[in-house]
Amino acid sequence: MPDAFTSRTLHISTGSRERVVDLTSDCEDFLREAAAGRDGLLNIFVPHATAGIAVIETGAGSDDDLLAALHTLLPADDRWQHRHGSPGHGRDHVLPAIVPPHATLPVIAGHLELGTWQSVCLVDTNISNVNRQVRLSFLG
């Protein structure tokens, strides 16, 4: 019988541009092994101060719309008190207040219980940190 709690760390390279990275297939791959057909909860956590997790539609422009909205809400300019790093980097440290660094989602019969158009995504606006970790934990 599989463990009631199982965890794995993904290593994601986001490159040198702002990105929304779809993690849904990575989550499903993890659950095939960790959940083994059981019900439970999947927690996705980004242990970084400048990235977040969003559950959104991808592939139809919503990921680009999210980045555009973040640019409107959090412009990359000199208004930020946090000033080290690339110009406007202070905005990246405010991002997790808007796009939280975690999500907890239901797992039914070993599969994510997402809506038709929902995907689990890493949101990374920090162009200075190209290597990210994402921790997946199943409790069931």
Side-chain angles (χ1 to χ4, degrees), residues 12-20 48-51 67 71 76-77 84-93 95 123-132:
I12 308 291
S13 177
T14 56
S16 59
R17 63 183 176 90
E18 297 179 1
R19 298 267 316 270
V20 175
H48 299 284
T50 58
L67 291 175
H71 272 278
D77 59 21
H84 83 280
S86 58
H89 175 63
R91 74 184 280 266
D92 300 325
H93 286 275
L95 173 76
V123 179
D124 188 1
T125 60
N126 183 356
I127 61 172
S128 299
N129 188 350
V130 301
N131 297 307
R132 298 298 188 165

Side-chain angles (χ1 to χ4, degrees), residues 14 16 18 21 34 38 44 52-53 58 61 64 71 74 80 93 98 102 106-107 137 140:
T14 56
S16 59
E18 297 179 1
V21 180
R38 295 175 295 150
I44 305 102
I53 297 294
T58 60
D64 291 331
H71 272 278
L74 304 171
W80 308 102
H93 286 275
I98 295 170
H102 59 86
V107 176
S137 299

Side-chain angles (χ1 to χ4, degrees), residues 16-139:
S16 59
R17 63 183 176 90
E18 297 179 1
R19 298 267 316 270
V20 175
V21 180
D22 191 336
L23 302 174
T24 309
S25 63
D26 294 303
C27 292
E28 287 287 1
D29 290 345
F30 169 69
L31 288 172
R32 262 190 288 289
E33 181 181 320
R38 295 175 295 150
D39 294 351
L41 295 171
L42 175 66
N43 181 264
I44 305 102
F45 176 70
V46 181
H48 299 284
T50 58
I53 297 294
V55 178
I56 63 168
E57 177 182 8
T58 60
S62 296
D63 36 357
D64 291 331
D65 290 341
L66 174 58
L67 291 175
L70 290 172
H71 272 278
T72 300
L73 292 170
L74 304 171
D77 59 21
D78 63 358
R79 75 183 68 199
W80 308 102
Q81 298 299 311
H82 185 105
R83 295 187 187 270
H84 83 280
S86 58
H89 175 63
R91 74 184 280 266
D92 300 325
H93 286 275
V94 177
L95 173 76
I98 295 170
V99 181
H102 59 86
T104 300
L105 303 171
V107 176
I108 306 298
H111 297 283
L112 276 175
E113 188 70 10
L114 293 172
T116 302
W117 304 111
Q118 290 180 318
S119 296
V120 179
C121 298
L122 169 67
V123 179
D124 188 1
T125 60
N126 183 356
I127 61 172
S128 299
N129 188 350
V130 301
N131 297 307
R132 298 298 188 165
Q133 294 178 12
V134 179
R135 294 184 185 145
L136 306 177
S137 299
F138 175 73
L139 177 62

